[in-house]
Amino acid sequence: MSGTNAASGAAPCRFAHYFVICGIDTETGLEPDELAGENFEQSPLKRTFKSKVLAHYPENVEWNPFDQDAVNMLCMPKGLSFRTQADSREPQFHSFLITREDGSRTYGFVHTFYEEVTSPQICSAMQTLYQMHQAENPSSATPSSSSSSSSSMDSLASSLDEADSPSSSSCRSAACGGYDASRDTLYVSKALCLITPMPFMHACRRFLSQVHRAVAAAAPPPLPLESYVHNILYEVPLPPPGRSLKFHGVYEPIVCQRPGPGELPLADFPLGQTFTLLGVENLVQLFNCTLLEMQILLYSQDYQRLMTVAEGITTLLFPFQWQHVYVPILPASLLHFLDAPVPYLMGLQSKEGTDRSKLELPQEANLCFVDIDNHCIELPEDFPQFPNKPELIQELSEVLLRYGISPVGGAPPTSVPTSTTTPGSVSTRHPGLKSQQALRELEDDGRNGNLGGEQLAVLDLLQGNATLERLQALAKRTGVRVEALRGVGGEGEAQGGRTAVEEEELRNAKLNVQLREVFASRFTTMFADYEAFVIQSAPDLESWLTNREQMHNFDKASFLSDQPEPYLPFLSHFIETQMFATFIDNKIMSQWEEKEPLLRVFDGRINKARLYNVRAPSLRSSNYQRCTILKESAQAIEQRLLKIDHTAIHPHLLDMKIGQGKYEQGFFPKLQSDVLSVGPTNNNRWSNRTATAQRRKDRHRQQTEHLTLDNDLKEKYMQEARSLGKNLRQPKLSDLSPAVIAQTNWKFVEGLLKECRMKTKRMLVEKMGREAVELGHGEANITGLEENTLIASLCDLLERIWSHGLQVKQGKSALWSHLLHYQAREEKLEQQQQQAESPVSNGPERRKSESSIGMPSLRASVIQDMRHIQSMGAIKTDVGRARAWIRLSLEKKLLSQHLKQLLSRQALTKKLYKRYAFLRCEEEKEQFLFHLLSLNTVDYFCFTSVFTTIMIPYRAVIIPIKKLSNAMTTSNPWVCVSGELGDSGVRQITKNVLEMTFDCQNLGKLTTVQLGHDNSGLLAKWLVDCVMVRNEITGHTYKFPCGRWLGKGVDDGSLERVLIGELALPNADEDCGRGCRTPDMQHSPGQTRRSSITSMGGRGYKPTSAQIQEAIGEAVNIICKHFHKPEKERGSLTILLCGEVGLVGALEQFFHNGFKSARLFQKTVFVWDFVEKAVAYMESADQMGDMQETAEPLGLTCVSLCHYVSAINSSPRNIGKDGKFQLLVCLGARDRLLIQWLPLLVECPVIQRMYEESALLRDRTTVNALIAVLQTLHDFPITLEASLVKGIDL
């Protein structure tokens, strides 16, 4: 095996893939960086210039091709930065990562330092620029209060440190911020970078810091630098899983460790720092937003902080993984990427002194903005909280306190200085605080990874040592540098012979793993039974991948029904996310291929938990279970770090050309590329071992490829199978041509359209429940919770579509902003038209007089719906208004139509949106509106059910039957409308005006109308066909059929009736502007009147006894189903009792079967007459003593029946005989007395006079069967609506 192959053969197992040097290219000279958004008013020292990759070793690694543009951009995100001897030139450290197409990551660790510029061309170019700048801006010659340090490419250097540094006083000279080649020394930033496959942050930081020390030291390093670089590139392996490894830097050994197969994966970024920066409460909220896949923007001056928080939050997601755009450091040239209409997690560097309010973000409706330096976060509106949040915060706080970290967060914000107060000015007022201040700054820099080895050692010695703290403060104040305190502790030896740095790393590692275990244990508890709900439906991988989109992979409904109530709001959102879908995909694919590592660890934990704890009893418990393995997890890491498993080969002399690597203090030498481009030729043991392992793997892969399908095809399927966002994990950093930006936006447009298709399909399927029925759930019913989740996610999608490609952002909601523009234009046009026309139009009034009385039509109008929302005082924000408007349009089945109307004003759309915006892609826009149109096939009450406290105008219309009665009546009618949320109270209707409007608090879905009159005047009898009531905001119209008389001496003598409502379907001509209207006169009245059931001559249809029994069974069945639904989703019980196919109607039919109702030349007899006669008989029998022999319970039953009948009869309401029978059935069902009353009525001798021999009521077997059916209702708590039992005193 040749040298090159040896190197590449072992690369997957190499600790580092590349060593990179970035800086100024002396040949091309100073090139301004246009992409970074140049500001020519700034002093040239503060401007941004292009950096270049000066060298990288080796040239290329097969499985991790070198991306020059990306590495350069991320090593120096703000390009080159210049300093003079007057400025602070502390070295800085930051990390970055590059996400590849397949989602795998490569990490970069960067040590930036300042090197003197020796090129006379660059010095004179800078001098010229400075002179030009002074000529153009003479005022800028006087220094500003902040020094030029903020020009740092990174602005990483904390200005607090710099204000404290001895040179800062000289910086206040007139030359501050200026440059004079004859007097000043010019320095430029240079970056050393290691690119590694795994995030060994501490080890890389120490290695790079030692390399820089070797360059800066007076004496040359023990070996040429090439030896150390060659060693880390080719001779240091990755530690095997579960082992630790020691390798050698320039001066000290470096130790790193890797978790074992059953442990949480490697995460080396200090989580403790993330908690310190944000505080536990904020961090848990940020974690929640990440789980719900919102857009997350991190904001800090310090790149390492951005990276630490981003990596910290994503490692806490175990076993899930962030599936969308992930760019912890967004270079200045990629700011357009904030326009991405997809979930993202990005980090943006804040410029010193810029205010958050000045930051123009394209979309904020669903944005979680994290201001790291100010320790605060801005959350989106209205999202569900993480389950057991208070207990989780408590447990995390306890872990932090054990390590001496405050759970409140808010480390001293060293990166955000104010220009007026410097730490120096603090000390004059509070001399006692000075030492604490100095220590705090050191601590904070230590956490940021911005301290070199010696300073870290100083920090550790200072902590807990008051004398040394005072010394350090004094030294800092007087400008003496404490270079090293080796004499105090011999290389800073801490306990057990470890250096203070190692001690700190061990502490960080233990804290990291314990904090992560707390989060991991939450998921292990919440998803302990997830496997039971995974649907394994495909026979093989190929068919699963091809049909992935059509497959139903997880039984969401059953899973949610199995969870504790308090978890549901969060879980119903979370199981809709891409990260959960991918997790389930990985689970299904693990049948056919090796388990994904995170899944393997998670499943292992669940199985272990099952062994120790049979979870059946606590299944639905929402009790918080604390993490039980904190100690063991920390011990595992400690043991690995104390007992080193492997030691890498020491750096050694290479076969180099003599005299080439000239050593010069303070300058990084030009390395010899020929010795660094290839690895060692000897097959050392680890490369040999991994090569064999690799060969074994290759053989295995070839075999499996024959068995399944070839990898390219699989990859293609996988890319398609994994939905939106996967193909755009990170923007292309290498090519920023307009064509590439356009292509990226095109991908977004396609992704949004696909997401819209998936969401509308899911909403339809859930609502219609077809899939649920196929999965054996019986009658499908989408739960209100799931529906709410899906609608919230639709609102989020519409906001993202409307914010894609905005020209100028206005307000937090892009959709509402567009609507306001539209409203302003339309209202202006309306005014112009009104001025032009004379107001003569009497259209609606005339139509009312020619047609019979009905509902005037409700015009569909975008503006009208906006005005309704604007008048709702409870909604305070634009995002809230946009969501309410979407819900209202969806409920009215006008969402697609409204948006089409909004987008039809093309001039407005062009003014507001760039050419590439989704809303300006004609074909996609049409398809999008078509997908939304499909939602009109189902009924939503997503507005009515959410805004329960608003005032709503209602319109009620009474429709009499003109042919058979007076259209007019002399009595005074009244109406009372009831719904699921309350009733309107009695509303008097003006005499002979059969229509009224009234405002009252949202009644919800309407259930009943009480209609009555006071029986005054000569024409007091009134035959009413139906009552129509419409919600004037949502347009929902309810029909309450009557078909009966109201009046004394006619029908059953009722003066008031309780009518049961049903939602009226809009007529076919609704779109033409017509509303609901009276049935045409030649047709029979609106309801198949109850005359068939009740007594009105008994004309019409008579059901058979089998049909009657079936109807009763069905009515009882529906009531049972009602109570098996979750309480919030049950709807109205009144309709199930008294509605068209309700229990009351079915029992009326039972009592009517064989009833001798119509008598010749006599008054009609009603079932209620039979009940009254039976009660009268019982009462007289009781008085005569006949009942005394009967069993005690029977006697009590008699008493209860008599009591209820007399209470109904003595009620002040005139509800008529059929109304009284209805009331008796309802009360009997509520109080579980029906089955006791039936035998009494059957036994009563009155039955022989009033019923024929063949009547069902006289058939013992049938009555017993009826009693058995009604018995099932005893399991349920039946409550009756107030409108039914009003005035009944029991």
Side-chain angles (χ1 to χ4, degrees):
M1 193 193 276
S2 76
T4 320
N5 288 348
S8 60
C13 255
R14 291 200 324 229
F15 180 86
H17 287 177
Y18 294 101
F19 180 79
V20 187
I21 303 144
C22 294
I24 190 162
D25 184 348
T26 46
E27 290 177 16
T28 55
L30 288 182
E31 282 185 87
D33 192 353
E34 303 87 11
L35 287 170
E38 205 37 73
N39 178 4
F40 289 105
E41 288 171 18
Q42 284 184 320
S43 149
L45 284 176
K46 289 190 179 188
R47 289 183 202 161
T48 315
F49 296 94
K50 277 186 186 169
S51 60
K52 291 266 168 69
V53 172
L54 303 178
H56 67 277
Y57 312 102
E59 266 309 300
N60 210 22
V61 174
E62 196 185 323
W63 23 75
N64 184 6
F66 188 74
D67 185 341
Q68 187 147 325
D69 296 314
V71 171
N72 179 37
M73 204 180 271
L74 291 166
C75 277
M76 296 192 144
K78 305 273 296 177
L80 296 168
S81 106
F82 286 90
R83 301 275 170 99
T84 66
Q85 78 287 348
D87 299 316
S88 159
R89 299 188 306 282
E90 280 296 310
Q92 305 296 339
F93 173 82
H94 78 272
S95 338
F96 64 81
L97 64 79
I98 295 175
T99 314
R100 289 195 289 268
E101 287 288 308
D102 62 354
S104 60
R105 292 173 181 174
T106 300
Y107 291 84
F109 301 97
V110 187
H111 182 94
T112 307
F113 63 98
Y114 286 87
E115 198 173 71
E116 190 180 325
V117 178
T118 50
S119 155
Q121 293 93 330
I122 285 172
C123 290
S124 63
M126 183 59 79
Q127 174 89 51
T128 312
L129 283 172
Y130 187 67
Q131 286 163 351
M132 285 163 61
H133 172 74
Q134 263 191 314
E136 286 163 22
N137 307 286
S139 62
S140 69
T142 53
S144 62
S145 61
S146 69
S147 85
S148 64
S149 75
S150 59
S151 71
S152 137
M153 66 113 193
D154 310 316
S155 303
L156 285 163
S158 132
S159 308
L160 280 181
D161 279 351
E162 165 207 314
D164 247 359
S165 72
S167 59
S168 63
S169 51
S170 64
C171 174
R172 299 282 180 262
S173 71
C176 175
Y179 174 64
D180 179 350
S182 60
R183 186 191 63 230
D184 294 323
T185 314
L186 189 63
Y187 293 87
V188 67
S189 53
K190 181 171 262 188
L192 306 178
C193 170
L194 269 184
I195 290 180
T196 64
M198 296 186 83
F200 289 108
M201 196 267 294
H202 286 98
C204 293
R205 189 181 82 197
R206 290 181 62 192
F207 176 81
L208 292 170
S209 145
Q210 289 184 37
V211 170
H212 176 232
R213 247 166 73 199
V215 173
L223 293 168
L225 287 181
E226 283 87 347
S227 296
Y228 302 106
V229 173
H230 182 275
N231 180 253
I232 199 160
L233 284 179
Y234 301 110
E235 293 169 337
V236 178
L238 281 174
R243 300 297 178 89
S244 55
L245 170 83
K246 179 171 166 181
F247 64 94
H248 290 267
V250 184
Y251 299 111
E252 294 124 33
I254 297 167
V255 175
C256 58
Q257 58 87 32
R258 189 170 162 192
E263 297 173 60
L264 295 175
L266 175 70
D268 206 26
F269 288 85
L271 261 179
Q273 187 197 340
T274 308
F275 277 86
T276 308
L277 287 168
L278 294 178
V280 181
E281 174 97 30
N282 281 344
L283 195 121
V284 170
Q285 289 286 43
L286 170 58
F287 171 69
N288 192 8
C289 292
T290 314
L291 284 171
L292 299 176
E293 296 189 334
M294 297 177 176
Q295 292 178 322
I296 292 161
L297 185 63
L298 309 175
Y299 193 61
S300 169
Q301 278 193 37
D302 184 329
Y303 289 125
Q304 186 57 11
R305 282 184 174 186
L306 293 174
M307 189 71 184
T308 302
V309 174
E311 280 294 282
I313 210 72
T314 49
T315 54
L316 295 178
L317 298 176
F318 168 88
F320 307 101
Q321 288 167 290
W322 180 257
Q323 297 296 324
H324 300 276
V325 174
Y326 182 60
V327 191
I329 296 175
L330 188 68
S333 51
L334 286 180
L335 286 183
H336 66 271
F337 220 75
L338 289 171
D339 198 14
V342 290
Y344 58 65
L345 202 167
M346 298 201 238
L348 185 63
Q349 197 224 14
S350 58
K351 294 187 178 68
E352 190 192 356
T354 50
D355 188 11
R356 151 77 179 105
S357 58
K358 294 195 181 76
L359 191 65
E360 278 294 309
L361 298 170
Q363 48 199 1
E364 293 184 48
N366 208 31
L367 179 76
C368 173
F369 182 84
V370 185
D371 187 344
I372 298 173
D373 300 334
N374 292 317
H375 323 292
C376 61
I377 63 177
E378 292 171 26
L379 295 164
E381 289 175 30
D382 188 32
F383 61 94
Q385 292 301 321
F386 190 72
N388 298 112
K389 185 178 134 193
E391 294 92 334
L392 174 64
I393 288 175
Q394 175 65 31
E395 187 176 5
L396 291 167
S397 303
E398 287 169 21
V399 173
L400 289 166
L401 287 168
R402 255 177 258 145
Y403 287 85
I405 293 175
S406 157
V408 181
T414 55
S415 302
V416 198
T418 53
S419 53
T420 50
T421 312
T422 63
S425 65
V426 174
S427 70
T428 54
R429 287 198 304 272
H430 309 286
L433 292 177
K434 182 63 200 173
S435 60
Q436 293 166 8
Q437 174 83 18
L439 176 62
R440 280 215 310 272
E441 287 162 23
L442 260 178
E443 277 178 327
D444 211 44
D445 273 351
R447 285 194 208 93
N448 288 339
N450 282 344
L451 290 188
E454 300 93 335
Q455 287 156 306
L456 263 172
V458 171
L459 165 64
D460 271 292
L461 280 165
L462 287 173
Q463 280 166 331
N465 187 327
T467 320
L468 284 174
E469 271 183 41
R470 285 200 295 278
L471 261 174
Q472 165 70 5
L474 182 69
K476 214 170 180 189
R477 204 160 51 238
T478 52
V480 178
R481 293 193 99 73
V482 187
E483 269 308 331
L485 287 172
R486 286 212 178 89
V488 186
E491 228 283 285
E493 289 280 318
Q495 47 182 312
R498 295 195 300 282
T499 64
V501 184
E502 286 166 355
E503 198 57 47
E504 174 71 7
E505 280 178 19
L506 173 60
R507 184 174 164 278
N508 270 339
K510 283 160 69 174
L511 174 60
N512 263 20
V513 77
Q514 292 197 343
L515 289 168
R516 292 170 67 205
E517 286 292 357
V518 172
F519 284 92
S521 109
R522 292 307 309 124
F523 287 126
T524 314
T525 312
M526 284 160 67
F527 292 96
D529 302 314
Y530 85 96
E531 286 181 69
F533 304 98
V534 175
I535 299 165
Q536 310 267 17
S537 47
D540 55 59
L541 181 59
E542 188 167 359
S543 65
W544 182 79
L545 287 168
T546 23
N547 302 307
R548 165 72 191 88
E549 266 187 26
Q550 288 74 44
M551 292 273 187
H552 195 74
N553 289 336
F554 189 73
D555 185 352
K556 293 175 182 173
S558 301
F559 173 74
L560 289 175
S561 67
D562 210 29
Q563 303 310 309
E565 184 83 22
Y567 289 13
L568 294 179
F570 171 80
L571 285 175
S572 64
H573 274 74
F574 179 65
I575 60 176
E576 297 294 334
T577 58
Q578 184 66 47
M579 71 175 83
F580 186 75
T582 306
F583 174 74
I584 297 299
D585 285 356
N586 288 338
K587 179 69 185 169
I588 291 173
M589 283 163 57
S590 67
Q591 305 171 79
W592 302 293
E593 50 180 44
E594 207 181 331
K595 254 191 195 176
E596 195 267 336
L598 294 184
L599 180 68
R600 190 180 62 236
V601 177
F602 188 65
D603 282 355
R605 289 177 168 225
I606 287 178
N607 295 335
K608 195 171 168 186
R610 280 209 193 108
L611 283 175
Y612 291 118
N613 164 28
V614 180
R615 216 177 136 259
S618 62
L619 194 60
R620 289 184 62 85
S621 151
S622 59
N623 292 342
Y624 187 79
Q625 295 178 18
R626 294 173 80 91
C627 180
T628 52
I629 55 167
L630 291 181
K631 224 180 206 150
E632 295 92 304
S633 58
Q635 279 168 353
I637 285 188
E638 189 160 12
Q639 280 160 7
R640 275 201 293 275
L641 286 174
L642 295 184
K643 186 186 131 299
I644 305 299
D645 297 302
H646 302 281
T647 305
I649 297 171
H650 281 248
H652 50 84
L653 272 172
L654 301 171
D655 184 11
M656 283 165 61
K657 299 186 181 73
I658 302 299
Q660 282 206 349
K662 191 163 68 100
Y663 174 78
E664 198 179 337
Q665 184 183 359
F667 292 94
F668 194 83
K670 189 174 184 336
L671 302 179
Q672 291 189 25
S673 55
D674 49 350
V675 292
L676 292 179
S677 57
V678 292
T681 44
N682 64 324
N683 287 333
N684 62 50
R685 56 204 167 92
W686 65 269
S687 72
N688 202 6
R689 185 176 70 223
T690 50
T692 4
Q694 192 60 35
R695 281 199 296 276
R696 206 165 46 240
K697 241 181 184 166
D698 288 346
R699 272 205 306 279
H700 174 69
R701 197 177 70 227
Q702 283 159 4
Q703 288 163 359
T704 49
E705 277 174 11
H706 290 308
L707 295 174
T708 56
L709 59 159
D710 77 333
N711 263 1
D712 291 346
L713 185 61
K714 178 181 147 190
E715 191 53 41
K716 175 172 161 280
Y717 281 138
M718 284 309 298
Q719 286 299 329
E720 287 169 7
R722 302 276 161 81
S723 169
L724 173 71
K726 272 310 211 25
N727 42 1
L728 276 168
R729 286 252 182 78
Q730 179 166 323
K732 266 268 185 279
L733 301 180
S734 40
D735 182 4
L736 290 171
S737 63
V740 168
I741 293 176
Q743 188 189 354
T744 304
N745 278 298
W746 181 241
K747 273 186 176 174
F748 284 146
V749 169
E750 285 182 320
L752 287 168
L753 185 62
K754 180 178 181 182
E755 196 180 345
C756 180
R757 187 183 77 235
M758 304 286 279
K759 279 205 161 77
T760 47
K761 178 184 170 187
R762 173 111 167 73
M763 286 171 77
L764 286 174
V765 164
E766 281 291 357
K767 200 71 172 152
M768 295 172 163
R770 195 174 303 131
E771 281 188 15
V773 174
E774 285 169 9
L775 288 167
H777 293 310
E779 185 195 35
N781 186 21
I782 178 171
T783 68
L785 191 74
E786 276 182 277
E787 178 176 309
N788 225 355
T789 304
L790 293 173
I791 290 169
S793 111
L794 177 71
C795 293
D796 165 43
L797 172 67
L798 293 179
E799 277 294 0
R800 284 191 279 122
I801 286 176
W802 253 259
S803 59
H804 181 235
L806 263 179
Q807 297 273 19
V808 182
K809 179 183 160 278
Q810 294 154 329
K812 282 200 167 186
S813 165
L815 173 58
W816 190 251
S817 166
H818 193 169
L819 283 165
L820 290 173
H821 279 288
Y822 174 82
Q823 184 181 23
R825 286 199 172 196
E826 294 300 300
E827 285 174 346
K828 197 171 164 191
L829 285 171
E830 220 172 273
Q831 279 174 350
Q832 289 168 357
Q833 280 174 350
Q834 279 171 1
Q835 287 160 6
E837 298 171 7
S838 56
V840 196
S841 104
N842 285 330
E845 277 66 36
R846 197 164 61 248
R847 191 172 70 242
K848 193 187 255 181
S849 57
E850 32 184 73
S851 76
S852 51
I853 301 164
M855 277 288 180
S857 68
L858 201 60
R859 198 165 63 89
S861 140
V862 177
I863 305 288
Q864 195 51 50
D865 285 352
M866 283 184 72
R867 286 178 188 148
H868 287 313
I869 302 298
Q870 285 161 331
S871 67
M872 289 164 61
I875 305 177
K876 304 278 187 257
T877 65
D878 284 355
V879 174
R881 289 184 194 102
R883 286 177 181 170
W885 184 85
I886 293 168
R887 283 175 175 275
L888 177 58
S889 307
L890 193 57
E891 184 164 324
K892 294 177 83 165
K893 303 191 177 187
L894 290 171
L895 183 58
S896 180
Q897 188 181 326
H898 276 354
L899 293 177
K900 189 173 186 175
Q901 182 66 37
L902 177 66
L903 296 171
S904 65
R905 301 283 179 268
Q906 289 190 337
L908 178 61
T909 313
K910 275 182 181 164
K911 180 183 143 192
L912 295 177
Y913 289 91
K914 295 174 184 153
R915 181 65 201 91
Y916 63 74
F918 182 94
L919 296 176
R920 289 188 61 187
C921 301
E922 287 307 312
E923 197 176 316
E924 283 67 28
K925 186 175 77 184
E926 284 305 312
Q927 288 184 48
F928 155 72
L929 292 170
F930 178 73
H931 290 314
L932 290 182
L933 187 63
S934 65
L935 295 175
N936 289 7
T937 53
V938 289
D939 296 321
Y940 283 104
F941 288 89
C942 50
F943 180 84
T944 308
S945 59
V946 168
F947 301 101
T948 52
T949 56
I950 59 170
M951 295 301 284
I952 288 186
Y954 289 93
R955 181 186 293 268
V957 178
I958 298 162
I959 299 175
I961 300 174
K962 290 182 182 172
K963 208 170 184 183
L964 303 172
S965 84
N966 317 310
M968 301 301 171
T969 171
T970 54
S971 56
N972 299 300
W974 56 268
V975 70
C976 173
V977 182
S978 302
E980 290 176 357
L981 301 174
D983 67 56
S984 65
V986 171
R987 306 269 173 171
Q988 293 294 337
I989 303 176
T990 316
K991 205 181 288 186
N992 293 329
V993 175
L994 299 176
E995 182 178 327
M996 68 179 297
T997 53
F998 58 90
D999 286 358
C1000 87
Q1001 190 170 314
N1002 187 354
L1003 300 174
K1005 289 183 193 173
L1006 302 187
T1007 50
T1008 61
V1009 159
Q1010 288 161 262
L1011 175 68
H1013 63 76
D1014 62 358
N1015 202 38
S1016 58
L1018 292 170
L1019 299 171
K1021 296 174 184 146
W1022 198 23
L1023 180 57
V1024 175
D1025 179 50
C1026 65
V1027 177
M1028 310 289 288
V1029 181
R1030 181 171 70 204
N1031 177 326
E1032 293 290 274
I1033 291 183
T1034 65
H1036 280 314
T1037 306
Y1038 293 82
K1039 183 177 185 180
F1040 297 86
C1042 178
R1044 303 283 297 267
W1045 287 90
L1046 281 95
K1048 286 281 184 209
V1050 64
D1051 200 338
D1052 64 348
S1054 169
L1055 289 185
E1056 86 174 67
R1057 294 198 184 278
V1058 177
L1059 309 178
I1060 310 299
E1062 57 200 30
L1063 191 61
L1065 295 170
N1067 295 332
D1069 54 0
E1070 178 96 280
D1071 292 338
C1072 316
R1074 294 295 293 263
C1076 313
R1077 53 201 178 81
T1078 323
D1080 296 336
M1081 286 325 300
Q1082 62 267 36
H1083 292 299
S1084 59
Q1087 187 198 14
T1088 43
R1089 282 189 250 143
R1090 277 233 179 107
S1091 57
S1092 59
I1093 302 165
T1094 43
S1095 54
M1096 284 183 60
R1099 291 188 303 277
Y1101 162 73
K1102 283 208 170 131
T1104 64
S1105 45
Q1107 285 171 327
I1108 292 170
Q1109 285 169 285
E1110 192 181 327
I1112 292 173
E1114 192 53 43
V1116 170
N1117 207 4
I1118 290 172
I1119 293 172
C1120 294
K1121 281 182 182 174
H1122 167 86
F1123 282 102
H1124 278 107
K1125 289 176 193 167
E1127 202 167 328
K1128 290 174 187 163
E1129 290 136 32
R1130 286 179 184 168
S1132 167
L1133 184 60
T1134 309
I1135 293 172
L1136 306 187
L1137 287 170
C1138 312
E1140 197 75 343
V1141 289
L1143 181 65
V1144 172
L1147 284 175
E1148 274 184 350
Q1149 290 186 345
F1150 188 91
F1151 274 86
H1152 267 281
N1153 184 274
F1155 184 61
K1156 304 172 182 172
S1157 58
R1159 313 284 171 85
L1160 229 57
F1161 313 118
Q1162 281 180 13
K1163 257 196 334 191
T1164 308
V1165 184
F1166 292 83
V1167 171
W1168 184 250
D1169 294 326
F1170 161 64
V1171 173
E1172 282 185 323
K1173 283 183 177 158
V1175 166
Y1177 169 79
M1178 287 172 208
E1179 284 174 338
S1180 63
D1182 189 25
Q1183 282 159 9
M1184 290 165 66
D1186 289 2
M1187 299 296 278
Q1188 252 126 51
E1189 299 87 75
T1190 58
E1192 186 63 28
L1194 201 61
L1196 287 174
T1197 309
C1198 271
V1199 172
S1200 72
L1201 179 59
C1202 300
H1203 176 50
Y1204 275 68
V1205 169
S1206 79
I1208 290 170
N1209 275 331
S1210 54
S1211 151
R1213 295 167 62 189
N1214 289 303
I1215 51 175
K1217 292 180 177 177
D1218 279 348
K1220 288 175 180 176
F1221 180 75
Q1222 169 173 302
L1223 190 49
L1224 184 69
V1225 171
C1226 290
L1227 291 169
R1230 181 190 75 182
D1231 299 338
R1232 301 174 184 167
L1233 293 168
L1234 274 182
I1235 61 169
Q1236 296 173 21
W1237 292 343
L1238 270 171
L1240 286 179
L1241 294 172
V1242 171
E1243 296 296 323
C1244 184
V1246 179
I1247 197 168
Q1248 289 151 10
R1249 280 207 310 279
M1250 300 188 77
Y1251 279 87
E1252 291 157 11
E1253 190 71 40
S1254 61
L1256 286 174
L1257 202 55
R1258 292 181 67 176
D1259 178 358
R1260 283 297 165 85
T1261 324
T1262 313
V1263 172
N1264 288 340
L1266 173 63
I1267 289 172
V1269 169
L1270 293 175
Q1271 175 85 45
T1272 55
L1273 294 180
H1274 285 204
D1275 300 338
F1276 308 114
I1278 291 176
T1279 48
L1280 300 178
E1281 214 174 278
S1283 60
L1284 292 176
V1285 293
K1286 198 186 282 179
I1288 302 296
D1289 180 23
L1290 283 167

